[in-house]
Amino acid sequence: MTLKRSLFNILLVVILLFSFAKLSYALEPKDFVQSTIDKASEILSSESSKDEKIVQLRDIAKNTVDIRGIGFYSLGSHRKSLDSDQKKEYLKIFEQYFLKSFSSRLAEYSNPKIRVDSQEKLNEKYTMVSSTLLAGEDKPEVKIDWRIVTKDPNSPLIIDVVIEGVSLAKVQKEEFNSIIQSNGGDIKVLFNTLQEFITYHL
């Protein structure tokens, strides 16, 4: 390869990387949500088996959802009682729980039609994206809001989904707290409950 050709190739790579960086930075939260929805819809409407869809949906979740943030939020004040080793153990279990719960439930849908409508910047850290699950023959229209972490505009992440005013993260937080409180404040019971779901839930 000549020096001229080599320099040309390097220049081409730099241009492509710079263009990608600009595109990534310019990605608005509502475009991020729409892109995520489109990817999921493509998987759900494919001819792949349910198991294959679950694997692909998990990959999407890993790249678009703030699983760590949701996990700690779900613990609420109980997070303060964990030492560093327990936090690591919890996050490992929670990620497995979240991905299995998310992907297996979503894989049941054939191809939900969701229209992204608008976005509202709540503060420097969060933006709310509003969307609509379009009505079907036997299903009503549903309003869905997506709380997006936008601290880093290059890496927006979903931190919560609000369906008709009901926060799924808040519901999960209340459920986790109920499990802990009904077992004398023993947080290990929550760990065991999540592990049982991972192991036995189909």
Side-chain angles (χ1 to χ4, degrees), residues 71-107:
F72 277 141
Y73 173 82
S74 299
L75 273 185
S77 60
H78 299 291
R79 174 186 176 183
K80 299 176 182 178
S81 66
L82 300 182
D83 59 32
S84 58
D85 288 338
Q86 287 176 316
K87 286 179 181 178
K88 291 178 182 178
E89 180 185 2
Y90 169 72
L91 286 175
K92 181 179 179 181
I93 296 173
F94 180 82
E95 179 174 343
Q96 293 174 341
Y97 161 80
F98 177 87
L99 291 174
K100 186 164 190 177
S101 175
F102 162 84
S103 58
S104 60
R105 291 175 183 174
L106 191 58

Side-chain angles (χ1 to χ4, degrees), residues 29-170:
K30 62 183 180 65
D31 297 327
F32 162 71
V33 171
Q34 186 67 70
S35 174
T36 302
I37 291 171
D38 290 345
K39 290 175 183 175
S41 295
E42 183 178 347
I43 292 170
L44 294 171
S45 60
S46 72
E47 298 295 326
S48 301
S49 67
K50 181 179 178 180
D51 288 343
E52 290 172 331
K53 290 179 180 179
I54 286 175
V55 171
Q56 295 175 68
L57 290 171
R58 285 181 182 178
D59 288 339
I60 289 180
K62 287 179 182 179
N63 293 319
T64 61
V65 179
D66 185 0
I67 300 176
R68 177 187 175 91
I70 295 174
F72 277 141
Y73 173 82
S74 299
L75 273 185
S77 60
H78 299 291
R79 174 186 176 183
K80 299 176 182 178
S81 66
L82 300 182
D83 59 32
S84 58
D85 288 338
Q86 287 176 316
K87 286 179 181 178
K88 291 178 182 178
E89 180 185 2
Y90 169 72
L91 286 175
K92 181 179 179 181
I93 296 173
F94 180 82
E95 179 174 343
Q96 293 174 341
Y97 161 80
F98 177 87
L99 291 174
K100 186 164 190 177
S101 175
F102 162 84
S103 58
S104 60
R105 291 175 183 174
L106 191 58
E108 298 292 339
Y109 290 86
S110 56
N111 187 11
K113 302 294 184 181
I114 299 178
R115 182 191 68 229
V116 175
D117 300 316
S118 62
Q119 68 179 39
E120 178 186 359
K121 185 175 181 180
L122 303 178
N123 51 50
E124 292 302 317
K125 295 183 178 181
Y126 300 104
T127 297
M128 189 70 82
V129 175
S130 297
S131 68
T132 304
L133 176 62
L134 303 180
E137 293 182 0
D138 57 346
K139 296 180 180 179
E141 182 177 282
V142 178
K143 295 297 182 182
I144 303 176
D145 294 326
W146 312 72
R147 185 183 291 272
I148 309 299
V149 180
T150 47
K151 289 183 290 186
D152 180 358
N154 290 318
S155 302
L157 292 170
I158 299 166
I159 190 69
D160 190 15
V161 179
V162 182
I163 300 177
E164 291 292 343
V166 178
S167 163
L168 298 188
K170 185 176 181 180

